Amino acid sequence: MLIEHNIVVIGGGPAGMAAAVAAFDGGEKDVIIIDREDETGGVLRQCIHNGFGLHKFGCELTGPEYAEIYRNKISERGIKLYCNTTVVSIDNSKTVVAQNRDGILKIKAKAIILAMGCRERSRGALNICGTRPAGIYSAGAAQRLINCYGLRVGERAVILGSGDIGLIMARRLTLQGIKVEAVCEIMPYSGGLVRNITQCLDDFGIPLYLKTTVSKIHGSKRLEGVTIAQVDDNNKAITDTERYIPCDTLLLSVGLIPENELSNMAGVELDALTGGAVVDQNRQTTVDGIFACGNALHVHDLVDYVSDEAEIAGRNAAQYCLRDGSFSTDAICITKGKNIKYVVPQRVDLRQKDNLAIYLRVDKPLGRALFTVKTEKEIIAKKLQIRAVPGEMIKIDINKNQIERVGSNIEISAEALN
Amino acid sequence: MEKSVVCILCPKGCAIKVDMVKDTVKEVCGYGCIRGKEYAVSECTHPIRSVTGLVRVSNREYVMLSVKTDKAVPKEKIFDVIEKLNAICVDAPVYIGDIIQRDICGADIVATKTVL
Ligand code: SF4
């Protein structure tokens, strides 16, 4: 069955929902969302803790509450949802093939918004030696088992990785009566927000061991314990610091990877630094009419910023449809300079004379830092940041008057100030 | 005595310094906004936390109802709240915003999702 819809949003998480709403409000009413789960909301469904929405709604919400706001916006607008439906392919002519219980769905779209989110790095990516017993979970999987299904994942746990999900899960396990013996972080600093270290670890006296990893896994059927060890400057375990911790559960919170198999199928150019698509300020990818946003584009630390970004993608996808594909794919590049891990967007279409917001992450903790945005000829913007750490995304605004003067590629760099 | 407090009210996580003489606050500095100042004072006098948790749904299998306290409770009461939540079992349908139980350690327990 071939059907037609002007905008197809792939993924009904926070990005997909906000993008669909923005596209609708931007004047393109024929928008659909496809999601493989039985309900929209994505990862927010399992994030039962609070701290969402401060920036967007001025109050502290839990994940399910934040999702509910967007679910209501979607139903108020009558945006059509295809749940329990998996997109199996897309191509550069914007044909979406999806599958659900009713069979195969072929949709011809004018514009596609990629909002597939991200997935967790697994044990296989880490090369931890030892056996392969039960009891090793990615932190997000454990979060879902506990918060959505009410299952008990174990009795005594060690967590590897101190990103936000690892920290949040340390608290959740503790509250659910599971003893958390340690959180180990291979880097010399935590990748999570400081507030999460305070309220998830310090509140409960859970130790955080920096420059420490799990060097061995023990147990045959069920995990019996792990060996942890400090690492040297090459992240190699130092043997004489090894220590055995008995535990039946190991959570891995070791990074998130944007999900982009579909983007690849359509020939969308990916950025090796973000793991997501290369986009311009409209969040349009290198394939005309295909847009990307949310964690599929780059991993965010705050859902509020995901919503903001998705709104940009949604609005511009609507514009694209209404103006019948008049955007140019010809643009200048924004590249990372010293101390920068990545920048989004990577390209700027200079024909649009709007203020420009650039999002970036630093590649190591800099403390107080000065960011400089420069073209080949001159500096066009500077920003002083009180604290620049890799765990927190930084936004730099460039005034449209400055953009007008830009004729060449832009480079952003950061300098630590004492 | 000077105490350091990391504000948890927003993702900025300001590092706030509180100058205490015995149990009274003399001076607060380093906060990014007025809420943070209040937080730092409460953190040094009587720390409080909002609690989120889970409640079982008797007539649904493998479904948990996520809940929260409608206001912060004393920090040392977190585990009391959780223990009370573990003892609660509700019947679906439950709607987001429903009050599941009143006055647990001074706070009401509110559903944060809908279970039909
Ligand atoms: S003091 Fe204000 S700005 Fe700073 S973390 Fe607290 S709430 Fe945020």
Side-chain angles (χ1 to χ4, degrees):
Chain A
M1 183 175 64
L2 181 71
I3 51 175
E4 289 189 13
H5 284 292
N6 286 348
I7 300 182
V8 174
V9 181
I10 305 175
M17 291 197 288
V21 168
F24 188 95
D25 293 350
E28 181 48 77
K29 309 292 176 199
D30 183 17
V31 187
I32 64 160
I33 299 177
I34 305 179
D35 195 275
R36 62 187 167 201
E37 300 270 328
D38 56 355
E39 193 186 27
T40 53
V43 76
L44 289 174
R45 296 172 66 192
Q46 65 191 59
C47 297
I48 64 162
H49 56 280
N50 55 11
F52 304 94
L54 263 176
H55 160 80
K56 202 85 188 141
F57 301 109
C59 58
E60 262 210 299
L61 302 167
T62 64
E65 291 171 315
Y66 192 96
E68 187 74 7
I69 292 179
Y70 282 92
R71 239 177 250 138
N72 289 338
K73 287 178 193 257
I74 282 170
S75 61
E76 279 161 18
R77 287 164 180 76
I79 293 171
K80 192 168 164 55
L81 284 174
Y82 289 85
C83 285
N84 291 310
T85 305
T86 304
V87 173
V88 291
S89 76
I90 61 172
D91 64 20
N92 59 5
S93 71
K94 282 156 280 182
T95 304
V96 178
V97 179
Q99 192 183 31
N100 61 21
R101 217 180 280 162
D102 303 327
I104 300 277
L105 210 66
K106 212 168 168 186
I107 307 162
K108 184 83 192 83
K110 273 193 191 163
I112 295 175
I113 301 176
L114 304 171
M116 293 85 69
C118 61
R119 58 171 163 252
E120 299 181 275
R121 275 179 82 203
S122 61
R123 178 184 172 186
L126 297 180
N127 284 325
I128 307 175
C129 64
T131 49
R132 305 183 68 82
I136 303 173
Y137 307 84
S138 61
Q143 189 178 44
R144 184 166 173 140
L145 294 174
I146 295 170
N147 294 350
C148 296
Y149 306 134
L151 299 171
R152 195 174 174 86
V153 296
E155 303 297 330
R156 238 177 136 173
V158 167
I159 298 177
L160 176 59
S162 66
D164 287 314
I165 312 178
L167 300 175
I168 295 285
M169 283 312 291
R171 175 176 61 181
R172 181 55 55 202
L173 293 181
T174 307
L175 293 178
Q176 300 310 123
I178 299 165
K179 173 106 177 73
V180 179
E181 300 289 345
V183 176
C184 300
E185 170 60 60
I186 196 163
M187 301 302 283
Y189 51 86
S190 160
L193 300 172
V194 263
R195 69 191 297 234
N196 285 336
I197 295 187
T198 307
Q199 62 182 351
C200 298
L201 301 187
D202 299 350
D203 271 8
F204 302 100
I206 300 167
L208 170 63
Y209 300 117
L210 297 175
K211 287 201 84 160
T212 299
T213 192
V214 169
S215 59
K216 197 161 182 204
I217 285 167
H218 308 265
S220 52
K221 279 205 170 114
R222 177 80 194 193
L223 181 67
E224 285 164 12
V226 296
T227 301
I228 67 168
Q230 285 169 26
V231 296
D232 61 21
D233 291 337
N234 298 315
N235 287 345
K236 276 236 161 60
I238 306 168
T239 329
D240 43 345
T241 63
E242 280 188 336
R243 181 155 76 85
Y244 180 76
I245 303 182
C247 62
D248 65 356
T249 303
L250 173 65
L251 298 198
L252 303 175
S253 173
V254 290
L256 300 167
I257 306 165
E259 210 173 302
N260 278 290
E261 283 73 17
L262 293 172
S263 323
N264 268 328
M265 286 181 190
V268 166
E269 185 186 330
L270 297 185
D271 179 345
L273 300 169
T274 57
V278 170
V279 292
D280 65 13
Q281 74 266 49
N282 304 317
R283 302 303 184 270
Q284 182 167 219
T285 68
T286 53
V287 177
D288 200 47
I290 299 187
F291 296 77
C293 56
N295 284 352
L297 180 56
H298 61 120
V299 177
H300 295 62
D301 35 284
L302 295 180
V303 71
D304 303 63
Y305 294 151
V306 167
S307 303
D308 283 349
E309 177 175 83
E311 283 165 13
I312 300 175
R315 231 174 11 243
N316 284 290
Q319 281 294 313
Y320 176 89
C321 292
L322 298 170
R323 289 201 217 136
D324 252 340
S326 68
F327 284 168
S328 108
T329 45
D330 165 38
I332 61 147
C333 294
I334 306 180
T335 53
K336 69 176 190 103
K338 198 170 158 219
N339 292 330
I340 307 293
K341 190 166 166 197
Y342 71 71
V343 291
V344 172
Q346 296 89 341
R347 296 144 47 96
V348 185
D349 181 346
L350 290 179
R351 298 177 314 164
Q352 282 177 40
K353 310 277 186 246
D354 281 333
N355 293 338
L356 177 66
I358 300 174
Y359 295 88
L360 58 84
R361 280 180 196 278
V362 292
D363 62 3
K364 57 172 167 296
L366 297 178
R368 214 157 72 89
L370 182 67
F371 291 82
T372 311
V373 185
K374 60 173 194 282
T375 64
E376 275 152 28
K377 291 196 294 289
E378 58 180 338
I379 291 171
I380 56 167
K382 279 189 175 188
K383 181 178 183 177
L384 180 71
Q385 184 82 15
I386 302 299
R387 187 186 57 215
V389 291
E392 291 171 32
M393 202 162 75
I394 291 162
K395 180 182 174 206
I396 296 182
D397 291 301
I398 302 178
N399 191 281
K400 59 180 170 214
N401 302 327
Q402 294 290 346
I403 305 282
E404 268 172 21
R405 295 164 45 203
V406 173
S408 64
N409 291 345
I410 298 174
E411 189 193 83
I412 303 183
S413 57
E415 208 64 63
L417 303 174
N418 296 319
Chain B
M1 193 185 61
E2 196 178 72
K3 280 194 181 179
S4 305
V5 174
V6 174
C7 179
I8 61 168
L9 296 187
C10 93
K12 259 195 186 162
C14 293
I16 305 176
K17 295 245 180 297
V18 183
D19 193 15
M20 303 275 292
V21 174
K22 281 256 172 69
D23 289 336
T24 46
V25 175
K26 278 273 164 204
E27 210 189 317
V28 187
C29 59
Y31 50 89
C33 71
I34 194 72
R35 288 178 64 226
K37 183 179 180 181
E38 286 161 13
Y39 171 80
V41 170
S42 113
E43 193 64 8
C44 292
T45 47
H46 57 104
I48 53 172
R49 293 287 183 271
S50 293
V51 182
T52 60
L54 296 157
V55 164
R56 265 168 308 169
V57 183
S58 56
N59 51 351
R60 296 286 179 275
E61 218 183 346
Y62 297 122
V63 171
M64 295 300 277
L65 175 69
S66 54
V67 296
K68 65 175 182 185
T69 53
D70 69 338
K71 55 173 104 45
V73 300
K75 188 167 143 185
E76 68 278 7
K77 297 274 195 233
I78 294 176
F79 282 100
D80 293 349
V81 173
I82 293 290
E83 207 172 291
K84 298 255 168 55
L85 294 184
N86 288 342
I88 301 175
C89 202
V90 294
D91 285 324
V94 188
Y95 297 92
I96 189 167
D98 283 0
I99 292 176
I100 301 302
Q101 192 142 333
R102 290 207 183 270
D103 193 20
I104 289 189
C105 305
D108 291 345
I109 304 299
V110 181
T112 58
K113 77 171 187 185
T114 296
V115 177
L116 293 177

